[in-house]
């Protein structure tokens, strides 16, 4: 129990606002879900997700086509170059839309 400024006894569950404000803002962080039908990701961020996913898929394709027979002997290098360009764009978009100190760079294994 605590005493109010008027001397009345208050229960521990009594809330006394320090200031009166017309509005309150609540910010929170939650993991997004993504499946075949829907996503909790805001619509304006879906393109960023697609940019990152396509970059990592191209890196995998570059890795998978290394040492295989292709009509274009430099197919692996073309996929890798395209993937690097998309990864650069993805990181820039994360930096633009990400919160301060929340963007962490990740690396995907690229065989030598």
């Amino acid at each position: 129990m605590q005493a109010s400024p008027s001397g009345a006894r208050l229960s521990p569950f009594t809330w006394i606002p320090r200031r009166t404000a017309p509005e309150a803002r609540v910010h929170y962080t939650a993991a997004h879900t993504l499946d075949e039908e829907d996503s909790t990701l805001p619509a304006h961020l879906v393109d960023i997700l697609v940019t990152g996913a396509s970059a990592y898929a191209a890196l995998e394709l570059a890795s998978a086509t290394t040492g295989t027979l292709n009509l274009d002997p430099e197919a692996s290098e073309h996929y890798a170059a395209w993937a690097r360009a998309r990864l650069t764009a993805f990181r820039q978009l994360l930096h633009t839309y990400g919160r301060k100190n929340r963007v962490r760079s990740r690396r995907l294994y690229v065989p030598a």
Side-chain angles (χ1 to χ4, degrees):
M1 295 283 225
Q2 62 187 29
S4 70
S6 65
R9 302 287 288 176
L10 301 174
S11 75
F13 302 108
T14 303
W15 178 65
I16 301 173
R18 292 186 179 183
R19 293 186 222 173
T20 56
E23 64 182 53
R25 293 184 186 175
V26 177
H27 299 275
Y28 65 95
T29 301
H32 292 284
T33 58
L34 178 68
D35 59 20
E36 294 85 18
E37 289 126 23
D38 200 14
S39 169
T40 59
L41 196 65
H44 70 281
L45 299 178
V46 171
D47 288 340
I48 297 171
L49 175 71
V50 171
T51 300
S54 64
Y56 284 107
L59 276 178
E60 174 60 27
L61 192 56
S63 175
T65 57
T66 302
T68 60
L69 182 60
N70 289 304
L71 293 176
D72 181 5
E74 297 175 351
S76 182
E77 290 84 9
H78 290 240
Y79 288 131
W82 189 87
R84 283 191 299 273
R86 294 290 85 206
L87 278 175
T88 300
F90 178 60
R91 288 186 183 119
Q92 289 172 346
L93 288 167
L94 284 179
H95 183 64
T96 300
Y97 289 100
R99 292 174 303 191
K100 187 177 179 182
N101 297 324
R102 298 297 289 176
V103 176
R104 305 284 187 256
S105 64
R106 303 281 187 242
R107 291 181 182 235
L108 185 68
Y109 173 73
V110 180

mmCIF file with all atom_site columns, all heavy atoms in Angstrom, residues 62-86:
data_model
loop_
_atom_site.group_PDB
_atom_site.id
_atom_site.type_symbol
_atom_site.label_atom_id
_atom_site.label_alt_id
_atom_site.label_comp_id
_atom_site.label_asym_id
_atom_site.label_entity_id
_atom_site.label_seq_id
_atom_site.pdbx_PDB_ins_code
_atom_site.Cartn_x
_atom_site.Cartn_y
_atom_site.Cartn_z
_atom_site.occupancy
_atom_site.B_iso_or_equiv
_atom_site.pdbx_formal_charge
_atom_site.auth_seq_id
_atom_site.auth_comp_id
_atom_site.auth_asym_id
_atom_site.auth_atom_id
_atom_site.pdbx_PDB_model_num
ATOM 1   N N   . ALA A 1 62 ? 23.961 -20.562 -58.624 1.00 0.00 ? 62 ALA A N   1
ATOM 2   C CA  . ALA A 1 62 ? 25.350 -20.399 -59.064 1.00 0.00 ? 62 ALA A CA  1
ATOM 3   C C   . ALA A 1 62 ? 26.214 -21.529 -58.525 1.00 0.00 ? 62 ALA A C   1
ATOM 4   O O   . ALA A 1 62 ? 27.072 -22.066 -59.231 1.00 0.00 ? 62 ALA A O   1
ATOM 5   C CB  . ALA A 1 62 ? 25.892 -19.047 -58.596 1.00 0.00 ? 62 ALA A CB  1
ATOM 6   N N   . SER A 1 63 ? 25.964 -21.894 -57.290 1.00 0.00 ? 63 SER A N   1
ATOM 7   C CA  . SER A 1 63 ? 26.717 -22.998 -56.686 1.00 0.00 ? 63 SER A CA  1
ATOM 8   C C   . SER A 1 63 ? 26.372 -24.332 -57.364 1.00 0.00 ? 63 SER A C   1
ATOM 9   O O   . SER A 1 63 ? 27.255 -25.148 -57.625 1.00 0.00 ? 63 SER A O   1
ATOM 10  C CB  . SER A 1 63 ? 26.405 -23.065 -55.193 1.00 0.00 ? 63 SER A CB  1
ATOM 11  O OG  . SER A 1 63 ? 27.025 -24.169 -54.610 1.00 0.00 ? 63 SER A OG  1
ATOM 12  N N   . ALA A 1 64 ? 25.094 -24.540 -57.645 1.00 0.00 ? 64 ALA A N   1
ATOM 13  C CA  . ALA A 1 64 ? 24.661 -25.808 -58.236 1.00 0.00 ? 64 ALA A CA  1
ATOM 14  C C   . ALA A 1 64 ? 25.135 -25.975 -59.674 1.00 0.00 ? 64 ALA A C   1
ATOM 15  O O   . ALA A 1 64 ? 25.342 -27.102 -60.138 1.00 0.00 ? 64 ALA A O   1
ATOM 16  C CB  . ALA A 1 64 ? 23.139 -25.905 -58.175 1.00 0.00 ? 64 ALA A CB  1
ATOM 17  N N   . THR A 1 65 ? 25.302 -24.887 -60.407 1.00 0.00 ? 65 THR A N   1
ATOM 18  C CA  . THR A 1 65 ? 25.711 -24.988 -61.816 1.00 0.00 ? 65 THR A CA  1
ATOM 19  C C   . THR A 1 65 ? 27.223 -25.011 -61.991 1.00 0.00 ? 65 THR A C   1
ATOM 20  O O   . THR A 1 65 ? 27.700 -25.183 -63.107 1.00 0.00 ? 65 THR A O   1
ATOM 21  C CB  . THR A 1 65 ? 25.134 -23.812 -62.640 1.00 0.00 ? 65 THR A CB  1
ATOM 22  O OG1 . THR A 1 65 ? 25.554 -22.579 -62.066 1.00 0.00 ? 65 THR A OG1 1
ATOM 23  C CG2 . THR A 1 65 ? 23.624 -23.882 -62.695 1.00 0.00 ? 65 THR A CG2 1
ATOM 24  N N   . THR A 1 66 ? 27.965 -24.858 -60.909 1.00 0.00 ? 66 THR A N   1
ATOM 25  C CA  . THR A 1 66 ? 29.422 -24.925 -61.005 1.00 0.00 ? 66 THR A CA  1
ATOM 26  C C   . THR A 1 66 ? 29.820 -26.342 -61.376 1.00 0.00 ? 66 THR A C   1
ATOM 27  O O   . THR A 1 66 ? 29.434 -27.310 -60.736 1.00 0.00 ? 66 THR A O   1
ATOM 28  C CB  . THR A 1 66 ? 30.079 -24.534 -59.669 1.00 0.00 ? 66 THR A CB  1
ATOM 29  O OG1 . THR A 1 66 ? 29.653 -23.222 -59.329 1.00 0.00 ? 66 THR A OG1 1
ATOM 30  C CG2 . THR A 1 66 ? 31.586 -24.579 -59.743 1.00 0.00 ? 66 THR A CG2 1
ATOM 31  N N   . GLY A 1 67 ? 30.594 -26.469 -62.427 1.00 0.00 ? 67 GLY A N   1
ATOM 32  C CA  . GLY A 1 67 ? 31.087 -27.783 -62.832 1.00 0.00 ? 67 GLY A CA  1
ATOM 33  C C   . GLY A 1 67 ? 30.080 -28.621 -63.585 1.00 0.00 ? 67 GLY A C   1
ATOM 34  O O   . GLY A 1 67 ? 30.293 -29.818 -63.785 1.00 0.00 ? 67 GLY A O   1
ATOM 35  N N   . THR A 1 68 ? 28.970 -28.033 -64.015 1.00 0.00 ? 68 THR A N   1
ATOM 36  C CA  . THR A 1 68 ? 27.999 -28.786 -64.805 1.00 0.00 ? 68 THR A CA  1
ATOM 37  C C   . THR A 1 68 ? 28.081 -28.346 -66.261 1.00 0.00 ? 68 THR A C   1
ATOM 38  O O   . THR A 1 68 ? 28.618 -27.290 -66.574 1.00 0.00 ? 68 THR A O   1
ATOM 39  C CB  . THR A 1 68 ? 26.557 -28.566 -64.298 1.00 0.00 ? 68 THR A CB  1
ATOM 40  O OG1 . THR A 1 68 ? 26.238 -27.179 -64.392 1.00 0.00 ? 68 THR A OG1 1
ATOM 41  C CG2 . THR A 1 68 ? 26.408 -29.040 -62.867 1.00 0.00 ? 68 THR A CG2 1
ATOM 42  N N   . LEU A 1 69 ? 27.532 -29.146 -67.129 1.00 0.00 ? 69 LEU A N   1
ATOM 43  C CA  . LEU A 1 69 ? 27.542 -28.839 -68.556 1.00 0.00 ? 69 LEU A CA  1
ATOM 44  C C   . LEU A 1 69 ? 26.387 -27.898 -68.867 1.00 0.00 ? 69 LEU A C   1
ATOM 45  O O   . LEU A 1 69 ? 25.226 -28.204 -68.603 1.00 0.00 ? 69 LEU A O   1
ATOM 46  C CB  . LEU A 1 69 ? 27.407 -30.130 -69.372 1.00 0.00 ? 69 LEU A CB  1
ATOM 47  C CG  . LEU A 1 69 ? 27.445 -29.976 -70.882 1.00 0.00 ? 69 LEU A CG  1
ATOM 48  C CD1 . LEU A 1 69 ? 28.762 -29.348 -71.338 1.00 0.00 ? 69 LEU A CD1 1
ATOM 49  C CD2 . LEU A 1 69 ? 27.235 -31.318 -71.555 1.00 0.00 ? 69 LEU A CD2 1
ATOM 50  N N   . ASN A 1 70 ? 26.692 -26.719 -69.388 1.00 0.00 ? 70 ASN A N   1
ATOM 51  C CA  . ASN A 1 70 ? 25.683 -25.715 -69.738 1.00 0.00 ? 70 ASN A CA  1
ATOM 52  C C   . ASN A 1 70 ? 25.936 -25.207 -71.141 1.00 0.00 ? 70 ASN A C   1
ATOM 53  O O   . ASN A 1 70 ? 27.064 -25.283 -71.653 1.00 0.00 ? 70 ASN A O   1
ATOM 54  C CB  . ASN A 1 70 ? 25.766 -24.519 -68.777 1.00 0.00 ? 70 ASN A CB  1
ATOM 55  C CG  . ASN A 1 70 ? 25.286 -24.863 -67.401 1.00 0.00 ? 70 ASN A CG  1
ATOM 56  O OD1 . ASN A 1 70 ? 24.165 -25.314 -67.242 1.00 0.00 ? 70 ASN A OD1 1
ATOM 57  N ND2 . ASN A 1 70 ? 26.153 -24.671 -66.424 1.00 0.00 ? 70 ASN A ND2 1
ATOM 58  N N   . LEU A 1 71 ? 24.914 -24.672 -71.769 1.00 0.00 ? 71 LEU A N   1
ATOM 59  C CA  . LEU A 1 71 ? 25.110 -24.041 -73.072 1.00 0.00 ? 71 LEU A CA  1
ATOM 60  C C   . LEU A 1 71 ? 25.989 -22.803 -72.943 1.00 0.00 ? 71 LEU A C   1
ATOM 61  O O   . LEU A 1 71 ? 26.747 -22.476 -73.841 1.00 0.00 ? 71 LEU A O   1
ATOM 62  C CB  . LEU A 1 71 ? 23.758 -23.673 -73.687 1.00 0.00 ? 71 LEU A CB  1
ATOM 63  C CG  . LEU A 1 71 ? 22.869 -24.860 -74.077 1.00 0.00 ? 71 LEU A CG  1
ATOM 64  C CD1 . LEU A 1 71 ? 21.535 -24.361 -74.585 1.00 0.00 ? 71 LEU A CD1 1
ATOM 65  C CD2 . LEU A 1 71 ? 23.560 -25.722 -75.115 1.00 0.00 ? 71 LEU A CD2 1
ATOM 66  N N   . ASP A 1 72 ? 25.863 -22.120 -71.810 1.00 0.00 ? 72 ASP A N   1
ATOM 67  C CA  . ASP A 1 72 ? 26.712 -20.962 -71.532 1.00 0.00 ? 72 ASP A CA  1
ATOM 68  C C   . ASP A 1 72 ? 27.768 -21.386 -70.516 1.00 0.00 ? 72 ASP A C   1
ATOM 69  O O   . ASP A 1 72 ? 27.450 -21.664 -69.365 1.00 0.00 ? 72 ASP A O   1
ATOM 70  C CB  . ASP A 1 72 ? 25.866 -19.816 -70.968 1.00 0.00 ? 72 ASP A CB  1
ATOM 71  C CG  . ASP A 1 72 ? 26.683 -18.569 -70.685 1.00 0.00 ? 72 ASP A CG  1
ATOM 72  O OD1 . ASP A 1 72 ? 27.886 -18.540 -70.998 1.00 0.00 ? 72 ASP A OD1 1
ATOM 73  O OD2 . ASP A 1 72 ? 26.103 -17.612 -70.142 1.00 0.00 ? 72 ASP A OD2 1
ATOM 74  N N   . PRO A 1 73 ? 29.032 -21.454 -70.914 1.00 0.00 ? 73 PRO A N   1
ATOM 75  C CA  . PRO A 1 73 ? 30.063 -21.913 -69.988 1.00 0.00 ? 73 PRO A CA  1
ATOM 76  C C   . PRO A 1 73 ? 30.264 -20.979 -68.786 1.00 0.00 ? 73 PRO A C   1
ATOM 77  O O   . PRO A 1 73 ? 30.809 -21.383 -67.771 1.00 0.00 ? 73 PRO A O   1
ATOM 78  C CB  . PRO A 1 73 ? 31.330 -21.995 -70.836 1.00 0.00 ? 73 PRO A CB  1
ATOM 79  C CG  . PRO A 1 73 ? 31.025 -21.334 -72.116 1.00 0.00 ? 73 PRO A CG  1
ATOM 80  C CD  . PRO A 1 73 ? 29.546 -21.180 -72.237 1.00 0.00 ? 73 PRO A CD  1
ATOM 81  N N   . GLU A 1 74 ? 29.787 -19.765 -68.898 1.00 0.00 ? 74 GLU A N   1
ATOM 82  C CA  . GLU A 1 74 ? 29.933 -18.820 -67.796 1.00 0.00 ? 74 GLU A CA  1
ATOM 83  C C   . GLU A 1 74 ? 28.621 -18.621 -67.029 1.00 0.00 ? 74 GLU A C   1
ATOM 84  O O   . GLU A 1 74 ? 28.444 -17.613 -66.349 1.00 0.00 ? 74 GLU A O   1
ATOM 85  C CB  . GLU A 1 74 ? 30.436 -17.480 -68.335 1.00 0.00 ? 74 GLU A CB  1
ATOM 86  C CG  . GLU A 1 74 ? 31.818 -17.584 -68.967 1.00 0.00 ? 74 GLU A CG  1
ATOM 87  C CD  . GLU A 1 74 ? 32.241 -16.276 -69.598 1.00 0.00 ? 74 GLU A CD  1
ATOM 88  O OE1 . GLU A 1 74 ? 31.412 -15.350 -69.694 1.00 0.00 ? 74 GLU A OE1 1
ATOM 89  O OE2 . GLU A 1 74 ? 33.402 -16.182 -70.004 1.00 0.00 ? 74 GLU A OE2 1
ATOM 90  N N   . ALA A 1 75 ? 27.713 -19.577 -67.114 1.00 0.00 ? 75 ALA A N   1
ATOM 91  C CA  . ALA A 1 75 ? 26.407 -19.458 -66.461 1.00 0.00 ? 75 ALA A CA  1
ATOM 92  C C   . ALA A 1 75 ? 26.553 -19.276 -64.957 1.00 0.00 ? 75 ALA A C   1
ATOM 93  O O   . ALA A 1 75 ? 25.879 -18.435 -64.349 1.00 0.00 ? 75 ALA A O   1
ATOM 94  C CB  . ALA A 1 75 ? 25.555 -20.677 -66.764 1.00 0.00 ? 75 ALA A CB  1
ATOM 95  N N   . SER A 1 76 ? 27.430 -20.021 -64.352 1.00 0.00 ? 76 SER A N   1
ATOM 96  C CA  . SER A 1 76 ? 27.630 -19.931 -62.906 1.00 0.00 ? 76 SER A CA  1
ATOM 97  C C   . SER A 1 76 ? 28.090 -18.533 -62.502 1.00 0.00 ? 76 SER A C   1
ATOM 98  O O   . SER A 1 76 ? 27.598 -17.964 -61.519 1.00 0.00 ? 76 SER A O   1
ATOM 99  C CB  . SER A 1 76 ? 28.657 -20.971 -62.460 1.00 0.00 ? 76 SER A CB  1
ATOM 100 O OG  . SER A 1 76 ? 28.824 -20.915 -61.071 1.00 0.00 ? 76 SER A OG  1
ATOM 101 N N   . GLU A 1 77 ? 29.013 -17.964 -63.262 1.00 0.00 ? 77 GLU A N   1
ATOM 102 C CA  . GLU A 1 77 ? 29.499 -16.614 -62.965 1.00 0.00 ? 77 GLU A CA  1
ATOM 103 C C   . GLU A 1 77 ? 28.398 -15.565 -63.168 1.00 0.00 ? 77 GLU A C   1
ATOM 104 O O   . GLU A 1 77 ? 28.309 -14.602 -62.418 1.00 0.00 ? 77 GLU A O   1
ATOM 105 C CB  . GLU A 1 77 ? 30.718 -16.261 -63.826 1.00 0.00 ? 77 GLU A CB  1
ATOM 106 C CG  . GLU A 1 77 ? 31.971 -17.020 -63.467 1.00 0.00 ? 77 GLU A CG  1
ATOM 107 C CD  . GLU A 1 77 ? 32.045 -18.391 -64.124 1.00 0.00 ? 77 GLU A CD  1
ATOM 108 O OE1 . GLU A 1 77 ? 31.195 -18.693 -64.997 1.00 0.00 ? 77 GLU A OE1 1
ATOM 109 O OE2 . GLU A 1 77 ? 32.930 -19.166 -63.739 1.00 0.00 ? 77 GLU A OE2 1
ATOM 110 N N   . HIS A 1 78 ? 27.551 -15.776 -64.160 1.00 0.00 ? 78 HIS A N   1
ATOM 111 C CA  . HIS A 1 78 ? 26.444 -14.833 -64.404 1.00 0.00 ? 78 HIS A CA  1
ATOM 112 C C   . HIS A 1 78 ? 25.444 -14.863 -63.251 1.00 0.00 ? 78 HIS A C   1
ATOM 113 O O   . HIS A 1 78 ? 24.994 -13.816 -62.791 1.00 0.00 ? 78 HIS A O   1
ATOM 114 C CB  . HIS A 1 78 ? 25.737 -15.164 -65.721 1.00 0.00 ? 78 HIS A CB  1
ATOM 115 C CG  . HIS A 1 78 ? 26.547 -14.870 -66.931 1.00 0.00 ? 78 HIS A CG  1
ATOM 116 N ND1 . HIS A 1 78 ? 26.156 -13.981 -67.915 1.00 0.00 ? 78 HIS A ND1 1
ATOM 117 C CD2 . HIS A 1 78 ? 27.745 -15.347 -67.345 1.00 0.00 ? 78 HIS A CD2 1
ATOM 118 C CE1 . HIS A 1 78 ? 27.070 -13.923 -68.866 1.00 0.00 ? 78 HIS A CE1 1
ATOM 119 N NE2 . HIS A 1 78 ? 28.045 -14.756 -68.546 1.00 0.00 ? 78 HIS A NE2 1
ATOM 120 N N   . TYR A 1 79 ? 25.102 -16.082 -62.796 1.00 0.00 ? 79 TYR A N   1
ATOM 121 C CA  . TYR A 1 79 ? 24.202 -16.195 -61.648 1.00 0.00 ? 79 TYR A CA  1
ATOM 122 C C   . TYR A 1 79 ? 24.813 -15.562 -60.400 1.00 0.00 ? 79 TYR A C   1
ATOM 123 O O   . TYR A 1 79 ? 24.137 -14.867 -59.645 1.00 0.00 ? 79 TYR A O   1
ATOM 124 C CB  . TYR A 1 79 ? 23.874 -17.667 -61.347 1.00 0.00 ? 79 TYR A CB  1
ATOM 125 C CG  . TYR A 1 79 ? 22.955 -18.316 -62.352 1.00 0.00 ? 79 TYR A CG  1
ATOM 126 C CD1 . TYR A 1 79 ? 23.278 -19.544 -62.906 1.00 0.00 ? 79 TYR A CD1 1
ATOM 127 C CD2 . TYR A 1 79 ? 21.759 -17.719 -62.738 1.00 0.00 ? 79 TYR A CD2 1
ATOM 128 C CE1 . TYR A 1 79 ? 22.434 -20.161 -63.818 1.00 0.00 ? 79 TYR A CE1 1
ATOM 129 C CE2 . TYR A 1 79 ? 20.910 -18.320 -63.650 1.00 0.00 ? 79 TYR A CE2 1
ATOM 130 C CZ  . TYR A 1 79 ? 21.261 -19.548 -64.188 1.00 0.00 ? 79 TYR A CZ  1
ATOM 131 O OH  . TYR A 1 79 ? 20.425 -20.156 -65.090 1.00 0.00 ? 79 TYR A OH  1
ATOM 132 N N   . ALA A 1 80 ? 26.105 -15.799 -60.199 1.00 0.00 ? 80 ALA A N   1
ATOM 133 C CA  . ALA A 1 80 ? 26.782 -15.252 -59.021 1.00 0.00 ? 80 ALA A CA  1
ATOM 134 C C   . ALA A 1 80 ? 26.829 -13.725 -59.071 1.00 0.00 ? 80 ALA A C   1
ATOM 135 O O   . ALA A 1 80 ? 26.607 -13.053 -58.056 1.00 0.00 ? 80 ALA A O   1
ATOM 136 C CB  . ALA A 1 80 ? 28.183 -15.827 -58.896 1.00 0.00 ? 80 ALA A CB  1
ATOM 137 N N   . ALA A 1 81 ? 27.098 -13.165 -60.244 1.00 0.00 ? 81 ALA A N   1
ATOM 138 C CA  . ALA A 1 81 ? 27.136 -11.702 -60.377 1.00 0.00 ? 81 ALA A CA  1
ATOM 139 C C   . ALA A 1 81 ? 25.754 -11.104 -60.130 1.00 0.00 ? 81 ALA A C   1
ATOM 140 O O   . ALA A 1 81 ? 25.623 -10.082 -59.447 1.00 0.00 ? 81 ALA A O   1
ATOM 141 C CB  . ALA A 1 81 ? 27.646 -11.317 -61.762 1.00 0.00 ? 81 ALA A CB  1
ATOM 142 N N   . TRP A 1 82 ? 24.726 -11.731 -60.697 1.00 0.00 ? 82 TRP A N   1
ATOM 143 C CA  . TRP A 1 82 ? 23.362 -11.244 -60.488 1.00 0.00 ? 82 TRP A CA  1
ATOM 144 C C   . TRP A 1 82 ? 22.989 -11.341 -59.009 1.00 0.00 ? 82 TRP A C   1
ATOM 145 O O   . TRP A 1 82 ? 22.384 -10.420 -58.447 1.00 0.00 ? 82 TRP A O   1
ATOM 146 C CB  . TRP A 1 82 ? 22.384 -12.046 -61.334 1.00 0.00 ? 82 TRP A CB  1
ATOM 147 C CG  . TRP A 1 82 ? 21.004 -11.479 -61.347 1.00 0.00 ? 82 TRP A CG  1
ATOM 148 C CD1 . TRP A 1 82 ? 20.520 -10.513 -62.195 1.00 0.00 ? 82 TRP A CD1 1
ATOM 149 C CD2 . TRP A 1 82 ? 19.928 -11.819 -60.466 1.00 0.00 ? 82 TRP A CD2 1
ATOM 150 N NE1 . TRP A 1 82 ? 19.205 -10.248 -61.892 1.00 0.00 ? 82 TRP A NE1 1
ATOM 151 C CE2 . TRP A 1 82 ? 18.816 -11.030 -60.829 1.00 0.00 ? 82 TRP A CE2 1
ATOM 152 C CE3 . TRP A 1 82 ? 19.795 -12.705 -59.415 1.00 0.00 ? 82 TRP A CE3 1
ATOM 153 C CZ2 . TRP A 1 82 ? 17.600 -11.113 -60.184 1.00 0.00 ? 82 TRP A CZ2 1
ATOM 154 C CZ3 . TRP A 1 82 ? 18.580 -12.792 -58.759 1.00 0.00 ? 82 TRP A CZ3 1
ATOM 155 C CH2 . TRP A 1 82 ? 17.500 -11.995 -59.143 1.00 0.00 ? 82 TRP A CH2 1
ATOM 156 N N   . ALA A 1 83 ? 23.382 -12.436 -58.371 1.00 0.00 ? 83 ALA A N   1
ATOM 157 C CA  . ALA A 1 83 ? 23.092 -12.622 -56.944 1.00 0.00 ? 83 ALA A CA  1
ATOM 158 C C   . ALA A 1 83 ? 23.793 -11.562 -56.101 1.00 0.00 ? 83 ALA A C   1
ATOM 159 O O   . ALA A 1 83 ? 23.204 -11.016 -55.159 1.00 0.00 ? 83 ALA A O   1
ATOM 160 C CB  . ALA A 1 83 ? 23.518 -14.019 -56.502 1.00 0.00 ? 83 ALA A CB  1
ATOM 161 N N   . ARG A 1 84 ? 25.053 -11.256 -56.399 1.00 0.00 ? 84 ARG A N   1
ATOM 162 C CA  . ARG A 1 84 ? 25.771 -10.217 -55.644 1.00 0.00 ? 84 ARG A CA  1
ATOM 163 C C   . ARG A 1 84 ? 25.091 -8.856  -55.788 1.00 0.00 ? 84 ARG A C   1
ATOM 164 O O   . ARG A 1 84 ? 24.979 -8.101  -54.825 1.00 0.00 ? 84 ARG A O   1
ATOM 165 C CB  . ARG A 1 84 ? 27.230 -10.150 -56.094 1.00 0.00 ? 84 ARG A CB  1
ATOM 166 C CG  . ARG A 1 84 ? 28.094 -11.268 -55.543 1.00 0.00 ? 84 ARG A CG  1
ATOM 167 C CD  . ARG A 1 84 ? 29.570 -11.018 -55.795 1.00 0.00 ? 84 ARG A CD  1
ATOM 168 N NE  . ARG A 1 84 ? 29.888 -10.929 -57.221 1.00 0.00 ? 84 ARG A NE  1
ATOM 169 C CZ  . ARG A 1 84 ? 30.175 -11.966 -57.995 1.00 0.00 ? 84 ARG A CZ  1
ATOM 170 N NH1 . ARG A 1 84 ? 30.181 -13.177 -57.503 1.00 0.00 ? 84 ARG A NH1 1
ATOM 171 N NH2 . ARG A 1 84 ? 30.468 -11.791 -59.273 1.00 0.00 ? 84 ARG A NH2 1
ATOM 172 N N   . ALA A 1 85 ? 24.621 -8.546  -56.999 1.00 0.00 ? 85 ALA A N   1
ATOM 173 C CA  . ALA A 1 85 ? 23.926 -7.272  -57.210 1.00 0.00 ? 85 ALA A CA  1
ATOM 174 C C   . ALA A 1 85 ? 22.627 -7.226  -56.404 1.00 0.00 ? 85 ALA A C   1
ATOM 175 O O   . ALA A 1 85 ? 22.297 -6.207  -55.783 1.00 0.00 ? 85 ALA A O   1
ATOM 176 C CB  . ALA A 1 85 ? 23.635 -7.073  -58.699 1.00 0.00 ? 85 ALA A CB  1
ATOM 177 N N   . ARG A 1 86 ? 21.873 -8.340  -56.403 1.00 0.00 ? 86 ARG A N   1
ATOM 178 C CA  . ARG A 1 86 ? 20.623 -8.394  -55.631 1.00 0.00 ? 86 ARG A CA  1
ATOM 179 C C   . ARG A 1 86 ? 20.895 -8.342  -54.128 1.00 0.00 ? 86 ARG A C   1
ATOM 180 O O   . ARG A 1 86 ? 20.142 -7.721  -53.386 1.00 0.00 ? 86 ARG A O   1
ATOM 181 C CB  . ARG A 1 86 ? 19.841 -9.679  -55.936 1.00 0.00 ? 86 ARG A CB  1
ATOM 182 C CG  . ARG A 1 86 ? 19.327 -9.788  -57.343 1.00 0.00 ? 86 ARG A CG  1
ATOM 183 C CD  . ARG A 1 86 ? 18.203 -8.817  -57.671 1.00 0.00 ? 86 ARG A CD  1
ATOM 184 N NE  . ARG A 1 86 ? 18.762 -7.536  -58.080 1.00 0.00 ? 86 ARG A NE  1
ATOM 185 C CZ  . ARG A 1 86 ? 18.180 -6.348  -57.975 1.00 0.00 ? 86 ARG A CZ  1
ATOM 186 N NH1 . ARG A 1 86 ? 16.989 -6.231  -57.484 1.00 0.00 ? 86 ARG A NH1 1
ATOM 187 N NH2 . ARG A 1 86 ? 18.774 -5.251  -58.369 1.00 0.00 ? 86 ARG A NH2 1
#
